[in-house]
Amino acid sequence: LMNSLDYFEQDLDYMIIDTGAGISRNVMYFNAASQRVIVVATSEPTSITDAYAMIKVLRKRYGIKRFDLIVNNVSSKVEGDQVARQLSLVCERFLGDVVLETLGSIPADSQIPECIKEQRAFVDIHPNGEAAKRLKRIVSRVEQTARNSSNGSLQFFLRRMVLNQMKGSNHAGYRVSGSY
C-alpha cells in the first residue's frame, strides 16, 4: 500500500479507504489514522452491532469522538432514519460524548447485482436511479463539509497511521463478523 501511495504524490483531494467489516488491527489503524471516519451500516442486526463495535473501539482506544454514518440497502428513507436513530441512541447511552452525523441512506436497488457482475459502478450504469441520486447527495455533503474542515495531506495521514500503530502495538487484533 505504501508503495502504491507514492504514485499519487501531492495531487489527491480525497482518499477513501474501504476497510470492510470488522475491528481487525488493520481496520482500526486505517480508521484511527483517518481525518474522517464514515461508517456504513445496513438495517441487519449484525451490521448495526458491527458498526457500534467499531465506533466503541475507536472511541475507547483511539479517542475518536466524531463519526459519519451512511445507512445502505434500505427499503425506505424511514428505515434508514430508524437505523440511524437506533445507532445514535446506543452510542449516546453507552459512549456519551460520541457524535454520529447521519449523511443519508441509500435504497436497495435490484440493478446493483447486475453492476457488480459487470464490475462497473452503479452510478455509471444507472445514473438516474434513486440509489445513484442519494449517493450523489451524500458525496455532495461530504465534499461541502471537507471544504470547511482543516486541510490535511497524505503525509499527515501516513504519519498519524504510523503513530497510532506504535501506540496500539500492544493490542491484539479483534474481528467481528458481519457486513456493512
Side-chain angles (χ1 to χ4, degrees):
L1 177 65
M2 299 303 253
N3 290 336
S4 298
L5 293 176
D6 288 339
Y7 169 79
F8 294 105
E9 296 180 9
Q10 294 293 333
D11 296 335
L12 289 177
D13 290 325
Y14 309 103
M15 176 194 273
I16 299 174
I17 299 174
D18 180 358
T19 59
I23 55 172
S24 70
R25 198 160 111 191
N26 286 337
V27 168
M28 291 297 107
Y29 290 150
F30 275 113
N31 281 286
S34 298
Q35 290 176 298
R36 186 171 194 165
V37 177
I38 301 175
V39 177
V40 180
T42 69
S43 61
E44 296 176 19
T46 55
S47 179
I48 295 168
T49 300
D50 285 353
Y52 173 73
M54 184 167 73
I55 292 167
K56 178 180 176 180
V57 171
L58 288 169
R59 172 63 191 107
K60 302 248 182 212
R61 200 175 286 169
Y62 298 97
I64 297 172
K65 295 180 182 180
R66 188 188 186 291
F67 299 86
D68 292 306
L69 175 66
I70 299 171
V71 184
N72 195 19
N73 205 29
V74 297
S75 60
S76 66
K77 184 179 180 319
V78 171
E79 181 182 47
D81 292 344
Q82 288 172 338
V83 170
R85 190 171 28 261
Q86 181 181 3
L87 195 53
S88 291
L89 288 172
V90 170
C91 287
E92 183 179 313
R93 180 174 178 191
F94 295 105
L95 301 176
D97 58 353
V98 164
V99 175
L100 186 63
E101 176 74 27
T102 303
L103 296 174
S105 61
I106 301 173
D109 187 329
S110 62
Q111 297 171 330
I112 290 178
E114 166 196 337
C115 300
I116 293 169
K117 286 178 189 171
E118 293 182 29
Q119 296 184 349
R120 294 186 53 206
F122 71 92
V123 293
D124 291 337
I125 295 177
H126 304 288
N128 297 318
E130 187 60 28
K133 289 177 183 176
R134 294 243 199 116
L135 181 60
K136 288 175 186 174
R137 278 187 286 231
I138 290 168
V139 168
S140 178
R141 286 188 68 190
V142 170
E143 286 180 327
Q144 184 178 11
T145 57
R147 275 188 228 112
N148 298 332
S149 66
S150 64
N151 204 9
S153 67
L154 188 56
Q155 288 75 20
F156 170 80
F157 167 83
L158 294 174
R159 183 171 41 252
R160 192 164 168 197
M161 185 173 79
V162 169
L163 288 173
N164 281 324
Q165 185 172 6
M166 289 169 48
K167 280 198 299 190
S169 62
N170 294 331
H171 299 291
Y174 295 93
R175 179 91 182 138
V176 174
S177 63
S179 62
Y180 292 92

